[in-house]
Amino acid sequence: MNALLSVSDKTGIVEFAQALHALGIKLISTGGTAKLLAEAGLPVTEVAEVTAFPEMLDGRVKTLHPMVHGGLLARREVPEHMAALKTHGIDTIDLLVVNLYPFEATVAKPGCKLEDAIENIDIGGPAMVRSAAKNWKDVGVLTDASQYPAVLDELKQNGRLSDKLRFALSVAAFNRIANYDAAISNYLSAINEDGTQAAFSAQANSNLVKLQDLRYGENPHQAAAFYRDLHPAPGSLVTAKQLQGKELSYNNIADADAAWECVKSFDTDAQGGLAQSAACVIVKHANPCGVAVGKDALEAYSKAFQTDPTSAFGGIIAFNQTVDLAAAQAVSKQFVEVLLAPSYTPEALALFKAKANVRVLEISLEGVQRDGKTAWERGQNSHDVKRVGSGLLIQTADNHELQRSDLKVVTKKAPSSGQLEDLLFAWKVAKFVKSNAIVFCKDGMTMGVGAGQMSRLDSARIASIKAQHAKLSLQGTVVASDAFFPFRDGLDVVVDAGATCIIQPGGSMRDQEVIDAADERGVAMVFSGVRHFRH
């Protein structure tokens, strides 16, 4: 049996080659890989010896040769193929180990130049991988170090690879080539004529990996599956570990994502205030129906639940802190579909075991960074995608984080320090509420949420009605509006309900009319300068 090894990422390759050699497999290699194996004391044949042709053009041409591709592509069960190999003195290659030039890592570096990107486009590697993957019945092709153990296990046990493993390796190889080519296409088609990089490439290629088939979609007559990005952001829903409960449904996943993205935005950012670090978000039908911060998970949950106990029934609950026994006892008193948190105490998990149907998810926030990092490093999506008829709408994600210094007081009356804290809190919540969004808050807690109405007035009225049903007083609350008030009537509705301070983007032709109305009503108002439509 012959194995050709040519890897850019040399993680584990020496140990893998040593194991292959111990099994009596002949090692063939190229360039730096061959040198590394030889230095480790392994007998290795250079590809140039096999092809009787030296590497040339700075290594650009070395494996593009019939002596290599003939050995990979020949079908062992076809006599004519084997006769052709014998005639031309070509040996079969039974195992190919290739990972590609690091194109994705290269273009991800700040200041990457086109010349560097081009030099990291692999040619011979993908060609060999395709040849081996096409001939999977006879050749095993490895494209990642994580595949080494499974291959060694079968070789040690059976002396050969099973059809099942070879086919799985072939599929993984074609997937790798597809993702590699997609990355090249995305990068190159975003380069403008002047050499600058466009925000959106001329061709958008998706790199998605299926996590699971779902029982059905949004409704039972719809089929569905759950996919993740090839390289998911740390701390995102797709990285969750399900600790217990039934299989997640399509709607569970959609609502859980809404809850998780909202709750992890509360991170004790000193510039943005919000000194209380524990946060809880309750979501129903993609909208937050209760959000609060507190000194611990129990207090945050208790406050969030008060906003709308009716809607919280059968909701999705997310925490940004460890769920301990006290919080678990409070949550277990209500019907909850999905629970999300970075961690749980053993006592909390033991309590939830009695509710076997509750889906308990653990999502590590380790690796999530702040302070000027990329969206991915901050655990955020870089782009949002929406499907339309035979097309896609793609936009940069709404990752704007409002700071206290961004606020512009536009009324005669200025907010107090406490009101500023609540304004920032309300603004964070409004960002995750479907438009038109109106959010009443007080003391780090939502008091009334109006969402998804065609009229901003109706959203304001619904928020007031919700507060009344929950027996919460809106007197002295602050209000966040995701977009500007086009007329003073919206402001009058929230002030009539009890609000004394408002945050809105501003930008209407009638801003002055609304400001004058706020001064007339004796309330404070600040402009954020940023709109948060969410459709």
Side-chain angles (χ1 to χ4, degrees):
M1 184 180 287
N2 299 316
L4 196 163
L5 297 80
S6 180
V7 294
S8 175
D9 178 2
K10 296 176 173 56
T11 303
I13 192 62
V14 171
E15 295 78 6
F16 184 63
Q18 289 170 335
L20 294 180
H21 174 62
L23 291 168
I25 297 172
K26 179 181 177 181
L27 304 178
I28 306 167
S29 192
T30 63
T33 306
K35 181 181 179 182
L36 181 66
L37 299 183
E39 289 174 349
L42 289 165
V44 58
T45 301
E46 287 266 8
V47 162
E49 296 179 45
V50 174
T51 62
F53 201 93
E55 293 186 13
M56 60 183 295
L57 306 181
D58 297 321
R60 285 188 172 197
V61 177
K62 51 192 173 189
T63 59
L64 297 169
H65 196 282
M67 297 297 287
V68 173
H69 287 272
L72 291 170
L73 283 165
R75 295 170 62 187
R76 282 38 163 187
E77 81 281 8
V78 178
E80 293 82 1
H81 283 203
M82 301 311 292
L85 293 192
K86 186 175 181 180
T87 298
H88 297 286
I90 299 174
D91 286 335
T92 59
I93 297 173
D94 311 289
L95 202 64
L96 178 71
V97 185
V98 169
N99 54 54
L100 311 177
Y101 292 172
F103 179 84
E104 296 100 326
T106 299
V107 299
K109 295 176 182 177
C112 172
K113 297 180 179 178
L114 178 60
E115 294 78 11
D116 295 330
I118 296 296
E119 284 306 308
N120 278 280
I121 296 177
D122 204 330
I123 303 300
M128 288 193 293
V129 168
R130 290 177 67 88
S131 292
K134 178 176 180 176
N135 200 24
W136 66 269
K137 288 186 177 180
D138 296 310
V139 182
V141 54
L142 292 78
T143 50
D144 191 89
S146 64
Q147 298 165 331
Y148 297 169
V151 168
L152 287 177
D153 285 346
E154 285 206 0
L155 289 175
K156 289 175 181 177
Q157 290 178 21
N158 309 316
R160 63 186 301 275
L161 299 182
S162 65
D163 287 351
K164 180 180 179 181
L165 180 55
R166 272 186 274 103
F167 183 71
L169 292 171
S170 171
V171 172
F174 280 120
N175 288 343
R176 174 65 186 121
I177 296 301
N179 291 328
Y180 192 73
D181 287 344
I184 295 169
S185 171
N186 287 340
Y187 176 81
L188 294 180
S189 64
I191 296 177
N192 298 314
E193 290 184 6
D194 62 359
T196 59
Q197 198 81 8
F200 298 96
S201 59
Q203 178 167 316
N205 301 279
S206 298
N207 296 318
L208 301 172
V209 178
K210 187 167 74 171
L211 290 176
Q212 66 185 96
D213 289 308
L214 302 174
R215 287 174 295 159
Y216 53 82
E218 202 161 10
N219 299 291
H221 61 276
Q222 295 171 267
F226 184 26
Y227 288 77
R228 67 162 173 82
D229 288 337
L230 185 63
H231 301 293
S236 53
L237 181 67
V238 297
T239 67
K241 178 181 179 182
Q242 186 166 349
L243 304 182
Q244 72 162 58
K246 297 186 296 184
E247 180 183 312
L248 289 164
S249 71
Y250 180 99
N251 292 328
N252 288 156
I253 293 168
D255 286 349
D257 183 63
W260 183 247
E261 290 300 309
C262 182
V263 81
K264 73 179 184 181
S265 69
F266 294 93
D267 63 351
T268 66
D269 183 344
Q271 300 222 342
L274 302 168
Q276 296 169 297
S277 59
C280 176
V281 174
I282 306 174
V283 162
K284 192 69 172 291
H285 294 301
N287 274 302
C289 61
V291 183
V293 292
K295 67 178 183 297
D296 54 29
L298 173 60
E299 183 181 29
Y301 167 74
S302 300
K303 292 166 67 177
F305 182 76
Q306 289 180 59
T307 305
D308 191 350
T310 301
S311 297
F313 181 84
I316 312 293
I317 304 177
F319 292 89
N320 70 342
Q321 300 275 307
T322 298
V323 174
D324 58 14
L325 180 60
Q329 288 172 330
V331 169
S332 65
K333 293 177 183 178
Q334 75 163 101
F335 170 49
V336 54
E337 286 274 2
V338 183
L339 187 63
L340 306 96
S343 59
Y344 304 83
T345 64
E347 296 80 8
L349 290 177
L351 180 68
F352 288 127
K353 281 184 179 179
K355 293 180 173 287
N357 289 335
V358 176
R359 302 160 179 89
V360 177
L361 305 184
E362 183 177 82
I363 308 180
S364 174
L365 289 173
E366 185 176 347
V368 175
Q369 302 178 37
R370 297 280 168 179
D371 303 327
K373 300 295 182 180
T374 65
W376 188 88
E377 290 172 312
R378 300 199 322 264
Q380 298 171 317
N381 292 326
S382 58
H383 292 84
D384 284 335
V385 179
K386 182 175 290 188
R387 186 70 167 159
V388 295
S390 297
L392 294 176
L393 286 171
I394 303 177
Q395 64 176 347
T396 57
D398 186 3
N399 293 329
H400 183 272
E401 296 181 10
L402 190 70
Q403 304 298 321
R404 188 187 295 249
S405 57
D406 297 329
L407 301 179
K408 178 183 178 183
V409 179
V410 295
T411 49
K412 296 174 182 177
K413 188 173 184 178
S416 67
S417 176
Q419 285 177 322
L420 282 173
E421 286 292 312
D422 279 335
L423 286 174
L424 290 167
F425 173 86
W427 190 248
K428 278 184 179 284
V429 177
K431 176 179 170 180
F432 295 95
V433 177
K434 299 290 186 181
S435 301
N436 286 309
I438 294 289
V439 181
F440 288 84
C441 296
K442 188 177 183 180
D443 298 330
M445 166 185 167
T446 50
M447 305 292 283
V449 179
Q453 298 305 303
M454 292 70 79
S455 163
R456 191 162 300 279
L457 288 173
D458 288 339
S459 288
R461 293 176 182 126
I462 288 172
S464 299
I465 293 170
K466 288 278 190 181
Q468 291 173 10
H469 286 175
K471 297 181 171 53
L472 295 173
S473 171
L474 295 181
Q475 295 302 312
T477 54
V478 306
V479 165
S481 173
D482 65 338
F484 60 66
F485 289 106
F487 303 98
R488 69 166 290 167
D489 53 1
L491 179 133
D492 285 328
V493 169
V494 298
V495 174
D496 287 344
T500 57
C501 192
I502 297 101
I503 181 171
Q504 58 136 319
S508 167
M509 292 187 298
R510 293 183 173 82
D511 273 349
Q512 192 58 53
E513 174 187 323
V514 178
I515 293 170
D516 291 342
D519 285 334
E520 176 190 319
R521 301 297 301 270
V523 298
M525 185 164 64
V526 302
F527 283 0
S528 65
V530 178
R531 188 182 74 186
H532 280 311
F533 272 163
R534 188 178 183 87
H535 294 114

